[in-house]
Amino acid sequence: MISEVIQRDRLLRIPYFQRRYVWERKDWERFAMDMESTLDSESNYFLGAIILKDETTSLQDRRNGVGRKQQVIDGQQRLTTLAIYMKVLHMMTNRKQDFDNQYLQGTQLREPVIAHGCEDAQDFRKIMHLETPQEHIEGAGNIIDAYNFFREYLEKAKSQISLEDLLNTVNSSVTFVGINLTREDNEQRIFDTINSLGVPLTTGELMKNFLYEAEDEDVYNRTWKLVFDTDEARTFWESGAAKSRQEKSKDNTIIERFFHAFVRIKMWDFKDQLTKSQGKNFVKISNVFETCKAFVEKFGMNKQELAQEILTYAQLYREHLSEDILDTRIPKHSGIKRISCLINATQKYAVIPYVLYVLNTQKDELERTAIFDFLETYLMRRILADSESKSYSEMFPESFISNRLTTAASLKDFIMNKSPEVNLAMPANGTIKLKVKTRTKSIDERTARLVFYMYETKLTSASEGSFTGGYNDYVSETLMPKVTKADNPHWPKHRDNTHKEEERKQQIGTLGNMFLVKAEGKKELKKTSESDCPTKVVTLQKWSEGVRSNTILEHLTSWTKENIMSRNDGLADVMSRNIWTI
């Protein structure tokens, strides 16, 4: 029963390295309905297993009336929810004193017998010390929200059921399975096993638990917490995810992306101790946490040294690779901001490990800039040449980092010495010209937008004031519309020539048929997407202020496949020979 787990003289301490309270409305609703179901059930309600580890009680603990102190290894979400629910239920049945006698210590301060870590302690203590069931408590955080939910839920429920009966049945029928560990048991290994298999913790949460023990709290507060666990930090690291935690995959949050990049950097310190098969397993995103642990347990790294490396790279990531770069006008001249825009716009995250490696190992700013200048040229030429493959995505950590390419000269030599038929080779000007107009797959809007955006920002500086927006302020639009099933009198199909029709479809999807325009004109452009050429040209011009690659629109009266091919040739020439040159 509850009274066997939650007692006035028993302190249940939730360690600081565990995650914050994360239950949400759907969890509270199910919990409340389950508690209500005890009114009609003749059997006990099983709330799950609680894993606790005995800790030494201090003199101060005993003065506070604590006869036994235990660390909560698993079950903190359920225990916290139960305490909040019972607090509301006790207050609404005028049995606050009964609650205090069980859930609060017997000292003058009356601290809760469930002691939260620093993240949730203030809100939890506030709820536990309420005198009356206030209608609504202002504040951010799931603990406050849980209280407001249960107060509202039980307020509605009391017209249908007896809250007094509900309190009695919950107290007498809710049961736990308690698993008590001794002081000698390894709680971290148990915590890892439970949470890595059954609960969707982030790699960051698992790493925090692995790297920091209870006695490391001061170090954690001065280091890890500042980088990963403040509210501002969480907003950054948890962005890019699906709205629902259950919908998250291992690769769609920045925190998972970062740790995947980190292991793809760090593993090369131990390449001589790894077989090829081990190396492949080490870099699988599903194995990231185990790989980080192996750096300590297999290769003998000190935990705090590993933590410091993670923190160093994490700070570099936050400073230089934020997705906010897509809302900012990037500089004309080469550097990390242009590379960050390229990575975030294309979502080619395989580049990140090498970029972080350069940021950390190359301290000379001029040399860094030279590296990023050549890297931009290489990446943009590959985009123009449509040179994508799986081995290419694996290239950056496997080739660039393992070969310690930390200067522009070494990077250039490594790339330029690759023979043309090798996948990692730098695309030649002729290859780019050919591929720009003969792509086998249509260029997507995002890629076309990036190519033009990177090109335009190379032509003018932000201070000139003619092209001032960020990547997200623009979209790419086609002039000749994509072929649809419906007939379009302005852009008729080649009904008598299948080859010409297929050729036309291919040309529509090339860079030459794309134009960069301001995103705010997207709705108007959509309305004219199937219009005749003069109408589309006027609309494209209207939203092309400052876009130099759109000057062709000024005197355009018709648009054919020949126009598209000619523009493809011109764009390929200027981009490969004047902008991203080798």
Side-chain angles (χ1 to χ4, degrees), residues 2-50:
I2 295 174
S3 60
E4 294 174 347
V5 176
I6 299 177
Q7 302 167 1
R8 187 174 189 174
D9 62 350
R10 184 184 196 179
L11 180 62
L12 303 177
R13 188 179 69 83
I14 297 172
Y16 70 92
F17 52 71
Q18 286 202 29
R19 69 160 85 171
R20 299 178 78 171
Y21 179 67
V22 297
W23 275 24
E24 298 174 335
R25 185 181 183 88
K26 64 182 183 305
D27 305 303
W28 305 325
E29 192 167 50
R30 184 182 63 187
F31 181 90
M33 292 173 67
D34 285 349
M35 294 301 99
E36 203 169 314
S37 72
T38 62
L39 285 167
D40 303 312
S41 176
E42 295 182 358
S43 59
N44 287 339
Y45 179 85
F46 177 54
L47 197 55
I50 305 294

Side-chain angles (χ1 to χ4, degrees), residues 93-354:
T93 53
N94 296 314
R95 290 171 58 178
K96 175 182 173 297
Q97 191 60 48
D98 290 345
F99 179 88
D100 291 354
N101 290 339
Q102 183 177 359
Y103 288 81
L104 300 181
Q105 297 174 28
T107 62
Q108 186 175 0
L109 294 177
R110 308 284 276 170
E111 288 294 315
V113 297
I114 301 173
H116 273 267
C118 53
E119 299 297 332
D120 288 321
Q122 184 175 350
D123 286 347
F124 188 71
R125 192 180 295 115
K126 180 179 181 179
I127 299 301
M128 295 297 100
H129 287 161
L130 286 175
E131 294 293 330
T132 58
Q134 300 177 26
E135 287 191 2
H136 186 85
I137 296 181
E138 296 296 329
N142 289 23
I143 284 181
I144 298 295
D145 290 344
Y147 167 81
N148 288 328
F149 173 85
F150 287 134
R151 191 212 58 78
E152 182 179 343
Y153 184 96
L154 290 170
E155 183 65 35
K156 292 177 181 178
K158 71 179 184 182
S159 62
Q160 305 292 325
I161 61 173
S162 164
L163 296 188
E164 185 75 29
D165 289 347
L166 178 61
L167 176 56
N168 291 334
T169 55
V170 169
N171 266 328
S172 61
S173 63
V174 170
T175 63
F176 300 91
V177 168
I179 302 173
N180 293 303
L181 308 180
T182 67
R183 296 188 186 96
E184 290 72 34
D185 288 322
N186 189 325
E187 74 272 20
Q188 288 183 337
R189 194 170 300 279
I190 294 169
F191 180 83
D192 294 346
T193 302
I194 294 167
N195 292 291
S196 62
L197 293 177
V199 182
L201 296 183
T202 68
T203 300
E205 289 168 326
L206 290 169
M207 282 304 302
K208 176 172 62 174
N209 173 65
F210 174 68
L211 293 170
Y212 297 92
E213 300 180 16
E215 58 267 27
D216 299 323
E217 185 165 1
D218 287 342
V219 177
Y220 159 79
N221 286 331
R222 287 186 281 104
T223 55
W224 190 278
K225 180 180 178 180
L226 300 178
V227 176
F228 288 109
D229 282 346
T230 64
D231 289 339
E232 180 185 2
R234 287 194 192 93
T235 298
F236 174 80
W237 293 114
E238 294 174 9
S239 64
K243 290 182 180 180
S244 168
R245 188 176 184 87
Q246 282 69 33
E247 294 172 359
K248 289 183 182 179
S249 67
K250 272 287 188 181
D251 59 354
N252 71 349
T253 56
I254 291 178
I255 188 71
E256 301 297 343
R257 197 179 304 153
F258 163 72
F259 274 102
H260 193 212
F262 176 77
V263 299
R264 299 185 82 176
I265 299 168
K266 188 62 186 171
M267 66 171 288
W268 297 109
D269 287 351
F270 310 105
K271 63 179 180 179
D272 295 336
Q273 302 175 58
L274 291 171
T275 65
K276 188 173 183 179
S277 175
Q278 286 174 325
K280 286 185 176 181
N281 283 328
F282 261 37
V283 298
K284 288 181 179 178
I285 196 164
S286 58
N287 293 342
V288 165
F289 175 51
E290 291 301 321
T291 298
C292 285
K293 286 174 51 174
F295 294 145
V296 173
E297 297 173 350
K298 183 178 178 67
F299 302 125
M301 280 194 74
N302 176 275
K303 281 188 178 183
Q304 290 310 305
E305 288 178 1
L306 177 60
Q308 187 53 57
E309 279 201 61
I310 291 172
L311 292 167
T312 296
Y313 278 111
Q315 288 169 319
L316 289 171
Y317 196 115
R318 286 187 65 181
E319 181 180 354
H320 297 292
L321 295 175
S322 169
E323 293 175 349
D324 291 346
I325 193 69
L326 300 181
D327 297 315
T328 306
R329 171 50 154 92
I330 60 174
K332 175 180 180 178
H333 301 293
S334 303
I336 185 57
K337 289 184 178 180
R338 294 185 63 85
I339 293 295
S340 178
C341 178
L342 194 158
I343 292 171
N344 283 297
T346 59
Q347 297 179 8
K348 303 296 184 186
Y349 301 128
V351 185
I352 290 176
Y354 180 64

Side-chain angles (χ1 to χ4, degrees), residues 479-580:
L479 178 45
M480 185 180 289
K482 296 178 181 178
V483 177
T484 61
K485 291 181 179 180
D487 285 328
N488 185 330
H490 306 299
W491 309 92
K493 297 180 180 180
H494 296 90
R495 297 188 180 279
D496 57 342
N497 193 316
T498 303
H499 174 72
K500 284 188 176 181
E501 185 62 17
E502 290 302 316
E503 191 178 57
R504 178 193 174 197
K505 289 180 181 179
Q506 184 271 326
Q507 291 159 357
I508 289 171
T510 62
L511 200 62
N513 191 44
M514 305 280 190
F515 291 84
L516 189 71
V517 293
K518 292 184 176 179
E520 57 190 298
K522 193 171 183 178
K523 287 185 179 179
E524 185 175 345
L525 286 160
K526 186 175 182 180
K527 291 178 181 178
T528 61
S529 62
E530 301 293 321
S531 301
D532 59 86
C533 179
T535 302
K536 290 201 72 174
V537 167
V538 169
T539 311
L540 287 168
Q541 274 190 291
K542 177 180 177 181
W543 299 105
S544 295
E545 183 181 355
V547 182
R548 292 172 62 172
S549 58
N550 287 2
T551 54
I552 189 177
L553 294 169
E554 293 176 4
H555 306 291
L556 200 63
T557 56
S558 64
W559 191 247
T560 65
K561 65 177 184 180
E562 287 75 24
N563 295 125
I564 295 173
M565 297 300 278
S566 175
R567 187 163 182 256
N568 272 324
D569 284 339
L571 288 171
D573 277 340
V574 72
M575 289 179 180
S576 62
R577 298 179 187 277
N578 299 338
I579 303 297
W580 295 294

Side-chain angles (χ1 to χ4, degrees), residues 432-446:
I432 290 174
K433 190 168 184 176
L434 176 65
K435 290 290 188 178
V436 163
K437 58 184 179 182
T438 60
R439 293 178 66 97
T440 55
K441 184 179 179 181
S442 295
I443 190 169
D444 61 86
E445 187 279 331
R446 184 174 62 189

